[in-house]
């Protein structure tokens, strides 16, 4: 069987597949997938005819049995192959054949890091609100327990102030030497010591080491944020991920996909380094290998990369069923995998992306510095509030002594 020297390639213009048509008609490809396609064309000695998927979709099965996007171009015999990070799925495999896998990856999301928490509120941040509530409930109940079990003559307010003092590392004075009293006091002192030391150590770490403001960390939190906090989550247009989420057993995942479809949350063609679609209230859901360019645990990266995943994909080139160069293409891809050429293309692209834009890197100052007034503004504010309350109480006592 004689194969044509012109290869019809269906694709979608994206940051991974950039297409530039020069004045002389020559087509120049760039991006990770573009360079990979160039390698295939040069090795197989084929000419390129680009077939653009106008709907900008990878391939989605419609109710009438036809397919959208790149998969649809092959189904309609308008293209021989399709390339641009096409995932192998069972429905697609019914209408197209797939080449040897050249990349395995999982689907995750990236969102902008929320930044560092202000140290001005450090006084209340060592414990979560739930623990503060429990601690104060215990503090207000213990004087009652002391009065009931010991028949203590001290007033409730006096006992409350004594117990609060022990948490603030003050002594607990009492003339009661009964065994029951000693057990209660020792138990309370151990509790107060643990609370006091825990608070002091955490407070010191907050003041000396900047702490990150928590952000959404997994798909469950992302779903809740989209549903209740007006967050956004953008997906590749026509991606199988949305179908997977729509049929997931989790209702939150179903709603996440429904919100994305109804609001047309699809990824734009902006270079990933400059995309405005990853911000503090918008996450991008796509392959991890793409998001790693701008997101990750590195301090110089602005975006958080989730460790969670909902799907693991194998990416390959889609081919029409009777494509005559299947064997040669599969052999070539196997050699590319063995040599690690695709990974090299990815690393080169990442380097080229960051090289002219060092200003896009996040700058974090980790130098040791003395505590400033801003760091301790919470302590000063608490002190002023206490002084103000004391002054008001003093005025109230003076007024009561003179006029009542």
């Amino acid at each position: 069987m004689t194969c044509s020297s012109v290869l019809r390639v269906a694709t979608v213009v994206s940051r991974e597949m950039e297409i530039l048509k020069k004045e002389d008609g020559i087509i120049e490809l760039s991006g990770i997938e573009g360079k990979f396609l160039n390698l295939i064309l040069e090795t197989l000695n084929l000419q390129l005819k680009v077939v653009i998927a106008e709907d900008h979709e990878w391939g989605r099965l419609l109710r009438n049995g036809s397919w959208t996007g790149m998969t649809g171009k092959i189904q309609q015999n308008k293209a021989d192959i399709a390339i641009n990070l096409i995932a192998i799925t069972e429905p697609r495999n019914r209408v197209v054949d797939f080449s040897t896998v050249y990349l395995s990856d999982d689907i995750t999301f990236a969102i902008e890091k929320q930044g560092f928490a202000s140290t001005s509120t450090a006084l209340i941040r060592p414990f979560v609100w739930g623990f503060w509530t429990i601690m104060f409930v215990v503090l207000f109940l213990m004087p009652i327990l002391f009065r009931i079990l010991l028949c203590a003559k001290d007033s409730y307010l006096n006992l409350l102030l004594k117990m609060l003092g022990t948490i603030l590392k003050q002594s607990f004075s009492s003339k009661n030497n009964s065994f029951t009293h000693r057990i209660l006091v020792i138990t309370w002192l151990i509790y107060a010591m643990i609370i006091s030391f825990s608070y002091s150590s955490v407070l010191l770490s907050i003041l000396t080491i900047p702490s990150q403001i928590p952000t959404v960390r997994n798909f469950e939190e992302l779903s809740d944020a989209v549903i209740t906090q007006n967050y956004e989550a953008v997906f590749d247009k026509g991606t199988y991920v949305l179908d997977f989420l729509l049929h997931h057993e989790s209702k939150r995942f179903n709603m996440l996909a429904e919100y994305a479809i109804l609001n047309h949350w699809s990824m734009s063609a902006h270079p990933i380094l400059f995309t405005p679609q990853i911000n503090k209230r918008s996450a991008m859901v796509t392959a991890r290998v793409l998001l790693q360019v701008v997101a990750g645990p590195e301090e110089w990266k602005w975006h958080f990369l989730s460790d969670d995943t909902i799907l693991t994909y194998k990416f390959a080139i889609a081919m029409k069923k009777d494509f005559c160069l299947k064997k040669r293409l599969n052999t070539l891809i196997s050699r590319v995998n063995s040599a690690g050429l695709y990974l090299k293309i990815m690393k080169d692209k990442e380097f080229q992306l960051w090289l002219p834009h060092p200003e896009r890197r996040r700058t974090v100052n980790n130098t040791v510095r003395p505590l400033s007034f801003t760091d301790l503004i919470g302590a000063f504010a608490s002190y002023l509030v206490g002084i103000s309350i004391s002054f008001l109480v003093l005025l109230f006592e003076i007024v009561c002594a003179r006029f009542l």
Side-chain angles (χ1 to χ4, degrees):
M1 181 178 179
T2 304
C3 299
S4 173
S5 62
V6 177
L7 185 64
R8 300 175 300 168
V9 180
T11 190
V12 168
V13 177
S14 66
R15 60 180 67 91
E16 291 78 42
M17 177 65 77
E18 299 172 354
I19 301 173
L20 176 63
K21 191 171 184 179
K22 297 183 178 180
E23 295 180 356
D24 55 4
I26 297 176
I27 295 176
E28 184 177 293
L29 303 175
S30 59
I32 297 172
E33 293 287 278
K35 290 187 176 181
F36 183 44
L37 179 57
N38 270 333
L39 177 63
I40 292 172
L41 294 171
E42 290 174 8
T43 306
L44 298 181
N45 193 25
L46 296 173
Q47 296 178 0
L48 171 66
K49 179 181 179 182
V50 176
V51 181
I52 300 295
E54 298 85 1
D55 54 11
H56 202 80
E57 293 196 13
W58 269 244
R60 179 168 47 89
L61 180 61
L62 302 177
R63 291 182 179 179
N64 60 9
S66 62
W67 282 78
T68 64
M70 293 181 281
T71 308
K73 294 298 182 182
I74 295 179
Q75 184 191 39
Q76 299 159 21
N77 198 28
K78 294 180 179 179
D80 301 311
I81 68 170
I83 181 173
N84 195 346
L85 292 176
I86 301 177
I88 300 175
T89 65
E90 184 179 349
R92 289 175 183 166
N93 209 25
R94 298 192 191 108
V95 293
V96 299
D97 285 342
F98 284 98
S99 69
T100 301
V101 174
Y102 63 85
L103 177 66
S104 296
D105 202 11
D106 60 308
I107 301 299
T108 186
F109 70 88
I111 190 169
E112 186 177 339
K113 295 172 183 176
Q114 300 294 317
F116 295 102
S118 172
T119 53
S120 60
T121 58
L123 284 176
I124 60 174
R125 281 175 33 222
F127 301 140
V128 297
W129 288 110
F131 187 84
W132 279 114
T133 303
I134 294 173
M135 189 180 72
F136 278 108
V137 168
V138 171
L139 178 63
F140 285 111
L141 289 179
M142 283 304 294
I144 299 175
L145 184 64
F146 267 65
R147 287 175 61 84
I148 293 175
L149 295 181
L150 303 176
C151 300
K153 296 181 180 180
D154 289 350
S155 65
Y156 173 84
L157 182 59
N158 188 31
L159 286 172
L160 178 64
L161 292 177
K162 284 184 178 180
M163 292 180 174
L164 179 60
T166 57
I167 295 178
L168 300 176
K169 300 181 180 179
Q170 302 297 313
S171 62
F172 188 96
S173 59
S174 176
K175 296 180 180 180
N176 191 333
N177 293 320
S178 66
F179 180 76
T180 304
H181 181 269
R182 290 180 179 180
I183 293 297
L184 283 175
V185 170
I186 290 173
T187 303
W188 175 258
L189 289 177
I190 294 174
Y191 168 81
M193 179 186 67
I194 295 173
I195 294 295
S196 179
F197 286 175
S198 300
Y199 179 86
S200 299
S201 59
V202 176
L203 177 63
L204 182 60
S205 66
I206 291 175
L207 290 174
T208 54
I209 302 175
S211 56
Q212 292 276 359
I213 299 175
T215 184
V216 291
R217 307 189 69 84
N218 52 54
F219 276 97
E220 290 188 356
E221 293 181 4
L222 178 62
S223 301
D224 290 338
V226 169
I227 296 169
T228 63
Q229 301 178 40
N230 294 323
Y231 275 58
E232 293 184 9
V234 296
F235 296 78
D236 289 304
K237 190 174 181 181
T239 176
Y240 176 72
V241 177
L242 289 174
D243 291 331
F244 176 81
L245 292 175
L246 282 172
H247 298 92
H248 198 275
E249 59 184 12
S250 171
K251 291 184 178 179
R252 285 182 291 187
F253 287 2
N254 301 156
M255 294 183 67
L256 173 62
E258 290 170 1
Y259 273 64
I261 294 172
L262 290 174
N263 293 287
H264 304 288
W265 291 339
S266 57
M267 290 164 53
S268 66
H270 286 89
I272 196 165
L273 188 60
F274 303 100
T275 178
Q277 293 182 309
I278 306 179
N279 55 59
K280 292 180 179 179
R281 300 189 66 82
S282 176
M284 179 175 287
V285 183
T286 188
R288 183 180 300 275
V289 68
L290 301 179
L291 295 175
Q292 283 177 337
V293 176
V294 294
E298 297 89 348
E299 288 187 341
W300 56 271
K301 290 183 178 179
W302 283 97
H303 306 313
F304 166 79
L305 183 64
S306 175
D307 292 327
D308 195 13
T309 182
I310 51 174
L311 273 176
T312 299
Y313 270 150
K314 294 185 181 297
F315 297 101
I317 296 175
M319 306 176 290
K320 66 180 184 178
K321 293 289 186 178
D322 58 349
F323 183 52
C324 62
L325 295 174
K326 286 181 184 179
K327 187 175 180 179
R328 290 181 62 190
L329 181 59
N330 287 332
T331 302
L332 172 60
I333 293 176
S334 297
R335 292 174 179 174
V336 167
N337 291 340
S338 299
L341 293 180
Y342 190 85
L343 294 178
K344 184 181 184 304
I345 291 173
M346 287 171 35
K347 292 295 183 183
D348 289 347
K349 181 62 179 178
E350 180 177 349
F351 178 75
Q352 293 169 6
L353 190 64
W354 281 104
L355 185 61
H357 304 288
E359 74 283 355
R360 303 292 298 182
R361 290 173 175 259
R362 184 173 181 240
T363 303
V364 179
N365 186 7
N366 289 323
T367 57
V368 178
R369 60 179 180 82
L371 295 178
S372 63
F373 176 76
T374 304
D375 297 327
L376 300 176
I377 192 171
F380 285 114
S382 300
Y383 177 72
L384 290 176
V385 170
I387 292 295
S388 301
I389 293 175
S390 300
F391 182 71
L392 292 176
V393 171
L394 176 62
L395 288 180
F396 179 74
E397 290 179 346
I398 293 174
V399 170
C400 290
R402 289 189 176 184
F403 301 103
L404 297 180

